[in-house]
Amino acid sequence: MAGKWTASETQLRPDPKFGDKVFSKFVNCIMYDGKKAVAQRVMYDAMDIIQERLGKETSPEAPKTALELFQRAIENVKPFVEVRSKRIGGANYQVPMQVNRRRQQSLAFRWIIEAARGEKGRPVAQRVADELYAAARGEGKAMQTRDQVHRMAEANKAFAHYAN
């Protein structure tokens, strides 16, 4: 059944506050046990924290709104290549492969959420806000994960000819 996609893309409604489908998808990824209201509250609080920080920002190239910063953070964290294990002639090779658009987005979401959940001792909204802010600036744990994946792909470039 590989290659079958669910109708989630067509059923996904834009976020009520920002009107953005990507933001809505991110809220769904943060959600635990179907508690969407809690996930939305966390994200809205995180966006408020980010907006407050942006108000103090003096840099001219800094994004103007929290939604712009969110989009920049997701774009920065998206990986272009990843290594996949391939079995060829009895040996396993880590083969670098291009990542499709949908997987790029899901990996970016996963890495940002994992980085935020990995910290402890502060409210989730605060941790998500910090991770998104850092990712938009090209820093943070999620960016480290992406760079690590890119380094792995670079190191295994010799096996690129095995990619189908």
Side-chain angles (χ1 to χ4, degrees):
M1 286 281 225
K4 296 262 185 179
W5 296 104
T6 62
S8 66
E9 199 70 23
T10 55
Q11 290 176 349
L12 185 69
R13 288 205 179 95
D15 178 69
K17 187 174 179 182
F18 296 106
D20 188 43
K21 278 193 170 190
V22 177
F23 187 85
S24 184
K25 188 102 166 156
F26 193 79
V27 168
N28 289 346
C29 290
I30 280 192
M31 179 170 52
Y32 267 137
D33 295 332
K35 298 188 176 192
K36 191 163 191 163
V38 173
Q40 280 179 329
R41 180 82 269 133
V42 164
M43 278 310 294
Y44 291 154
D45 289 350
M47 294 303 256
D48 290 343
I49 291 166
I50 289 169
Q51 192 61 54
E52 201 174 290
R53 252 196 232 171
L54 286 175
K56 298 172 187 167
E57 189 71 45
T58 56
S59 174
E61 70 270 356
K64 304 287 181 257
T65 65
L67 190 62
E68 282 177 39
L69 185 129
F70 170 78
Q71 290 164 344
R72 186 182 291 182
I74 298 298
E75 279 304 311
N76 285 354
V77 176
K78 283 182 181 177
F80 304 113
V81 288
E82 68 177 341
V83 289
R84 291 213 162 164
S85 193
K86 278 243 172 155
R87 188 168 176 86
I88 294 143
N92 284 324
Y93 296 105
Q94 295 290 316
V95 180
M97 295 181 142
Q98 291 239 303
V99 184
N100 72 26
R101 221 173 23 82
R102 183 177 261 157
R103 183 158 169 78
Q104 281 182 348
Q105 188 183 59
S106 67
L107 284 174
F109 285 179
R110 192 178 309 157
W111 293 340
I112 289 171
I113 292 167
E114 275 177 15
R117 286 183 180 155
E119 288 181 47
K120 294 290 179 221
R122 290 186 303 150
V124 182
Q126 187 94 49
R127 297 181 304 201
V128 170
D130 288 349
E131 193 55 44
L132 285 171
Y133 200 81
R137 291 172 41 205
E139 303 166 0
K141 275 189 192 169
M143 283 300 292
Q144 285 176 358
T145 306
R146 173 190 176 258
D147 292 341
Q148 198 173 358
V149 165
H150 279 197
R151 274 197 301 276
M152 280 279 286
E154 185 67 29
N156 290 298
K157 209 165 41 173
F159 304 121
H161 63 282
Y162 289 129
N164 289 355

